[in-house]
């Protein structure tokens, strides 16, 4: 077990290829670790043991042949198993075919043995669904591992698997990576295939991906995953060299703009500032030019645009699930029903206004990138919050259900609910939505640990298509300030 915990996916695949260990032996180690730590973490919510056993006994090929893996219980459909999306309403809704992303993971040779926890419909930056219960952070069981890929991040940080499936519609790869000491890249729009069940979610804001402990694993996973399918809406241009090749060379010297300012959270936690300052010092030591800048975009407007799109998606999603399953309101969380009602009551004008505003945010970043290669910000504006600290109080949950039933979304909007959501839901993660609305690549890199011993990542945002540049920089940072040796050996 000690050898397993000290190896990344690339190493494990090499051992399998050399005949030093079998896929079945690695699967046994992964499940033993899961059996030991998952009761405390609640990271894995669906086990797929019979499927995994059969696969581990078969012929496997690909860059990660024989490596144990977990997929997220959202978007990553596996034929014959439910994709609950964290909701009681979909608990028994069985996928009839693999998603494109899962098919590529299988083609890479991975042995998938379970699905990980996520908030209902991936709609929060924490992972505390009513249906499955909260996932806990292996660095401190009292705090969140973030969301919506919190189950995957907790599983990787605790050593169950060296990498796990994730997705990012507003920070859902980068937020949990920052909370758990992992590396997380949200790729450029269009690189990752979606479907065949759906097209690009959230008008291209959402992408699939992974959370990993090492940058080389991330590069190899994205090499295996990206590229259009026959059902893709359009062909995104691919890079001329693989990401694995790209990270082998030293990153070129970059000009990086740094900011910790945010209109929706003007007072980030001192640890968030310290994280960015530490990163800036390290970058300067490596020869990069770092300078403070004003935020290149109107983040208050961007937050409202993001939520207007999210409300509309939530309304459509609830209606879709009702049609599919006939689920009653009691099978949805109160917060979900309230968000759906806000979207339903708003109508199409705020949605299309928000979509029109995306061009403004793209142009703002384009102007910034004329003079700077990357934007450096905190990934989180505070250390990972306590489990339950962001739970809607029971009285307000009852009020939300009544408001949704009474179709009083316009009343909720007039009462300032949207402004409250911007402050409370996005205030602790004010910097992550920019990359989603603009389709730009962004990564969270685990360079800082708080005085309390919690990870706190920093974010870099790049030009469209600069995924390779981000990975190359991350590889250089990992070499200069290694984090792999930091291990969340949770007390059981």
């Amino acid at each position: 077990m000690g050898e397993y915990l000290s190896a990344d996916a690339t190493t494990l695949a090499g051992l399998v290829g050399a005949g030093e260990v079998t896929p079945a032996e690695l699967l046994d180690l992964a499940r033993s670790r899961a059996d030991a730590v998952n009761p405390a973490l609640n990271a894995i919510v669906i086990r797929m043991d019979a499927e995994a056993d059969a696969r581990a006994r078969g012929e496997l090929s690909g860059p990660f042949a024989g490596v144990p893996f977990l997929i997220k219980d959202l978007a990553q459909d596996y034929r014959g198993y439910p994709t609950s999306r964290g909701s009681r309403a979909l608990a028994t809704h069985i996928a009839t075919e693999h998603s494109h992303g899962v098919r590529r993971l299988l083609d890479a040779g991975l042995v998938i043995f379970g699905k990980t926890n996520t908030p209902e419909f991936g709609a929060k930056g924490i992972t505390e669904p009513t249906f499955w219960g909260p996932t806990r952070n292996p660095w401190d069981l009292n705090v969140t591992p973030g969301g919506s890929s919190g189950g995957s991040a907790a599983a990787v940080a605790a050593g169950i698997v060296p990498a796990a499936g994730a997705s990012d519609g507003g920070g859902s790869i980068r937020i949990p990576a920052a909370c758990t000491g992992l590396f997380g890249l949200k790729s450029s729009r269009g690189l990752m295939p979606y479907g065949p069940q759906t097209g690009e979610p959230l008008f291209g804001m959402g992408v699939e991906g992974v959370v990993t402990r090492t940058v080389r694993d991330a590069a190899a996973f994205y090499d295996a995953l990206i590229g259009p399918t026959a059902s893709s809406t359009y062909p995104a241009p691919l890079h001329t060299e693989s990401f694995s090749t790209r990270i082998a060379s030293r990153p070129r010297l970059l000009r990086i703009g740094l900011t910790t300012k945010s209109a929706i959270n003007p007072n980030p936690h001192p640890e968030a500032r310290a994280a960015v300052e530490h990163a800036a010092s390290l970058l300067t030591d490596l020869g990069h030019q770092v300078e403070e800048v004003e935020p290149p975009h109107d983040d208050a407007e961007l937050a409202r645009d993001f939520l207007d799109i999210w409300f509309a998606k939530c309304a459509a999603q609830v209606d879709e699930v009702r049609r599919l399953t006939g689920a009653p309101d009691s099978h949805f969380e109160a917060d979900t029903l309230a968000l759906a009602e806000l979207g339903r009551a708003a109508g199409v004008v705020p949605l299309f206004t928000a979509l029109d505003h995306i061009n403004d945010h793209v142009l703002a970043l384009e102007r910034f990138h004329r003079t700077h290669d990357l934007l450096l910000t905190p990934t989180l504006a505070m250390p990972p919050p306590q489990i339950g600290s962001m739970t809607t109080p029971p009285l307000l949950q009852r009020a939300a259900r009544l408001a949704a039933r009474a179709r009083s979304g316009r009343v909720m909007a007039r009462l300032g609910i949207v402004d409250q959501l911007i402050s409370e839901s996005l205030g602790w993660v004010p910097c992550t939505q920019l990359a989603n609305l603009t389709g730009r690549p962004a990564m969270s890199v685990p360079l800082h640990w708080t005085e309390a011993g919690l990870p706190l990542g920093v974010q870099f945002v790049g030009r469209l298509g600069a995924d390779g540049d981000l990975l190359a920089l991350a590889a250089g940072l990992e070499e200069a300030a290694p984090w792999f040796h930091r291990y969340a050996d949770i007390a059981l």
Side-chain angles (χ1 to χ4, degrees), residues 15 24 89 111 177 186 249 313-314 320 323 437 444:
L15 293 173
V111 178
K186 178 256 169 206
S249 58
K313 173 63 176 177
C314 194
E320 173 207 9
R323 288 193 301 270
L437 263 76
S444 183

Side-chain angles (χ1 to χ4, degrees), residues 161-372:
V161 285
S167 58
D168 193 317
S172 291
I173 287 175
R174 291 158 289 152
I175 293 167
C179 287
T180 58
L182 304 179
F183 176 76
L185 170 71
K186 178 256 169 206
S187 59
S188 290
R189 180 180 179 181
L191 286 184
M192 297 291 295
Y194 253 94
Q197 295 85 346
T198 66
E200 281 188 319
L202 292 165
F203 303 96
M205 282 166 43
V207 301
E208 286 192 59
V210 291
V211 285
T212 66
R213 291 184 65 201
T214 64
V215 176
R216 71 172 184 170
D217 273 0
F221 269 101
Y222 283 99
D223 281 337
L225 290 171
I226 64 171
T229 67
S231 62
S232 294
T233 307
Y234 57 88
L238 296 180
H239 298 75
T240 56
E241 63 178 346
S242 72
F243 292 139
S244 295
T245 301
R246 179 73 180 83
I247 66 170
S249 58
R250 291 274 179 179
R252 62 187 178 86
L253 296 184
L254 303 170
R255 188 179 184 193
I256 299 169
L258 171 162
T259 186
T260 60
K261 295 180 179 179
S262 166
I264 61 175
N265 187 344
N267 297 301
H269 194 282
E271 288 280 12
R273 291 194 181 94
V276 172
E277 290 166 0
H278 171 67
S281 177
L282 181 59
L283 290 162
T284 301
D285 290 344
L286 293 173
H288 302 290
Q289 181 181 347
V290 183
E291 58 189 17
E292 285 203 47
V293 297
E294 292 296 313
H297 65 295
D298 183 342
D299 73 328
E301 181 63 49
L302 184 138
R304 185 169 290 274
D305 293 334
F306 174 81
L307 287 182
D308 283 340
I309 295 170
W310 198 274
F311 295 158
K313 173 63 176 177
C314 194
Q317 192 161 217
V318 168
D319 287 348
E320 173 207 9
V321 173
R322 282 173 173 153
R323 288 193 301 270
L324 283 173
T325 67
D329 282 357
S330 61
H331 284 197
F332 299 92
E333 294 181 15
D335 291 355
T336 297
L337 293 175
L339 295 183
E341 174 54 23
L342 283 168
R344 191 177 295 109
V348 299
V349 172
L351 170 62
F352 278 90
T353 300
L355 292 174
D356 284 342
H357 286 170
I358 288 177
N359 189 56
D360 298 332
H361 305 309
V362 169
L363 290 175
L365 261 186
E366 190 273 330
R367 286 191 293 270
F368 168 80
H369 280 132
R370 292 175 193 172
T371 55
H372 295 82

